[in-house]
């Protein structure tokens, strides 16, 4: 409305009003577009919060003691972050609130896996974990789920988020950054969609639409933040069996258009590639490997 000149009040009046409130943002990463817009319209920066239901919604946030310039520096440090020579941008999500919450970044939350609960170095991406008085005591009536989510020392492992920390240039404290969801969920239009649900719907639709038999194709999707700071693009990998290879050319030309009309809103792919789907020895899709394949392909295509 501001860009179109259709605000119901003068922009100067809006700026004055917004300068007198705390702009609290959560549940979506705060990127440069959002920060620039709020600076322009409100003359201030957003206050961010990060958490989950099991942690009373708040694990971290912007410290009220952090000066405006230091806060902007913290945002920018995440956007320009690199790791091992590669782009590894993240979104500032603040600091924990001891004793109510502690936070650290670890290499793995899977017991028995290499790097289990080893703390990451500065800037190294890993799993965000939290502990403290603001974290749940357990799942009611489900001891197995509680044991999986909470270590004996109280650390909560089920946030499902990948992030990193950086030392603050203003006071040397640790600022935390969000990079991606590690769980098999795609965030689109403000809603979460499970990868499994999308895979199933796309596989069934494509087989029927192109006249292919059962087991002639498989679909595996991942969500990647490419054009937006707030939602994922649905990136679909289609694996064709030998008996379906004769349909590849037609599918490459028409698949996205067909899906735009034939599948539900949450299952519409934004991008598609035809390739083998990486799986482990049990046949389960290896999501980290699939994400990396997509990133390499997209990077190669942009050169």
């Amino acid at each position: 409305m501001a860009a179109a000149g259709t605000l119901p009040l003068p922009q100067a009046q809006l700026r004055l009003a917004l300068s007198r409130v705390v702009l609290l943002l959560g549940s979506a990463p705060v990127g440069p577009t959002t920060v620039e817009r709020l600076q322009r319209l409100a003359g201030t920066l957003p206050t961010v919060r990060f958490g989950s239901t099991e942690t009373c919604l708040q694990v971290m946030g912007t410290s009220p003691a952090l000066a405006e310039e230091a806060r902007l520096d913290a945002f920018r440090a995440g956007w320009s972050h690199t790791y091992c020579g590669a782009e590894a941008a993240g979104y500032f999500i603040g600091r924990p609130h001891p004793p109510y919450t502690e936070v650290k970044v670890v290499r793995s939350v899977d017991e028995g896996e290499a790097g289990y609960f080893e703390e990451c170095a500065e800037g190294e991406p890993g799993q965000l974990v939290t502990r403290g008085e603001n974290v749940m005591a357990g799942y009611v009536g489900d001891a197995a789920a509680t044991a999986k989510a909470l270590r004996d020392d109280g650390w909560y492992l089920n946030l499902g988020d990948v992030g990193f920390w950086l030392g603050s240039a203003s006071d040397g404290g640790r600022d935390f950054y969000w990079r991606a969801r590690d769980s098999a969920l795609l965030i689109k239009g403000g809603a979460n969609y499970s990868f499994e649900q999308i895979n199933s719907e796309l596989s069934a639709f494509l087989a029927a639409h192109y006249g292919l038999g059962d087991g002639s194709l498989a679909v595996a999707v991942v969500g990647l933040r490419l054009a937006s700071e707030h939602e994922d693009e649905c990136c679909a990998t289609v694996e064709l069996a030998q008996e379906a290879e004769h349909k590849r050319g037609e599918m490459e030309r028409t698949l996205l258009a067909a899906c735009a009309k034939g599948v539900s809103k949450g299952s519409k792919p934004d991008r598609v590639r035809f390739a083998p789907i990486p799986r482990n020895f049990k046949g389960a899709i290896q999501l980290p490997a699939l994400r990396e394949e997509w990133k390499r392909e997209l990077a190669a295509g942009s050169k």
Side-chain angles (χ1 to χ4, degrees):
M1 292 174 70
T6 57
L7 286 170
L9 74 169
Q11 190 161 322
Q13 187 176 347
L14 174 64
R15 184 184 178 92
L16 178 62
L18 289 176
S19 69
R20 297 175 177 175
V21 301
V22 175
L23 297 168
L24 187 65
L25 299 184
S27 80
V30 180
T33 302
T34 302
V35 169
E36 184 279 329
R37 182 180 296 124
L38 289 177
Q39 283 183 305
R40 175 167 42 84
L41 294 178
T44 188
L45 292 172
T47 297
V48 297
R49 291 292 182 265
F50 171 85
S52 69
T53 303
E54 291 91 338
T55 60
C56 300
L57 301 180
Q58 186 169 322
V59 172
M60 288 179 279
T62 304
S63 169
L66 200 61
E68 193 90 345
E69 184 177 352
R71 192 185 312 182
L72 183 57
D73 287 344
F75 280 119
R76 288 171 171 166
W79 304 333
S80 61
H81 179 58
T82 61
Y83 182 71
C84 292
E87 180 275 327
Y91 300 92
F92 179 54
I93 49 177
R95 298 181 181 184
H97 314 287
Y100 302 105
T101 55
E102 301 172 68
V103 175
K104 60 183 176 180
V105 184
V106 298
R107 294 192 173 97
S108 172
V109 293
D110 295 320
E111 192 168 5
E113 186 175 279
Y116 172 67
F117 221 69
E118 293 178 3
E119 192 163 3
C120 292
E122 181 176 8
E124 177 187 358
Q127 298 277 345
L128 289 163
V129 295
T130 184
R131 174 175 70 175
E133 297 179 20
N134 205 42
V135 179
M136 68 170 191
Y139 294 106
V140 176
D142 197 334
T146 299
K148 184 178 179 181
L150 286 169
R151 282 168 45 106
D152 291 341
D153 56 4
W155 284 97
Y156 176 70
L157 309 178
N158 274 10
L159 284 173
D161 293 285
V162 173
F164 58 88
W165 67 270
L166 296 174
S168 169
S170 64
D171 61 8
R174 288 189 177 186
D175 291 330
F176 286 84
Y177 297 83
W178 182 92
R179 279 211 69 199
R181 286 287 297 172
D182 190 51
S183 61
L185 292 172
L186 184 143
I187 304 172
K188 200 169 188 178
N192 292 339
Y193 302 91
S194 75
F195 290 178
E196 292 83 358
Q197 174 189 349
I198 298 171
N199 295 343
S200 178
E201 182 177 351
L202 284 177
S203 297
F205 169 75
L206 294 176
H209 184 79
Y210 292 101
L212 299 172
D214 292 340
S216 59
L217 63 84
V219 178
V221 303
V222 292
L224 295 175
R225 300 255 160 116
L226 299 173
S228 169
E229 298 164 3
H230 305 295
E231 63 178 47
D232 299 315
E233 285 194 22
C234 180
C235 301
T237 297
V238 179
E239 183 181 77
L240 296 177
Q242 188 61 42
E243 63 267 27
E245 278 291 335
H246 67 286
K247 289 284 188 177
R248 179 188 290 265
E250 178 186 356
M251 294 177 75
E252 288 177 339
R253 294 190 304 272
T254 64
L255 188 148
L256 289 178
C259 289
K261 297 180 180 179
V263 299
S264 63
K265 175 184 176 181
S267 294
K268 288 181 172 64
D270 297 294
R271 300 170 186 265
V272 65
R273 63 195 280 267
F274 291 80
I277 295 170
R279 301 176 185 273
N280 63 20
F281 71 97
K282 294 181 179 179
I285 298 169
Q286 295 182 307
L287 292 176
L290 191 59
R291 285 193 184 95
E292 290 307 311
E293 288 184 4
W294 263 105
K295 289 178 181 178
R296 285 196 296 271
E297 187 159 315
L298 291 168
S302 65
K303 293 179 180 178

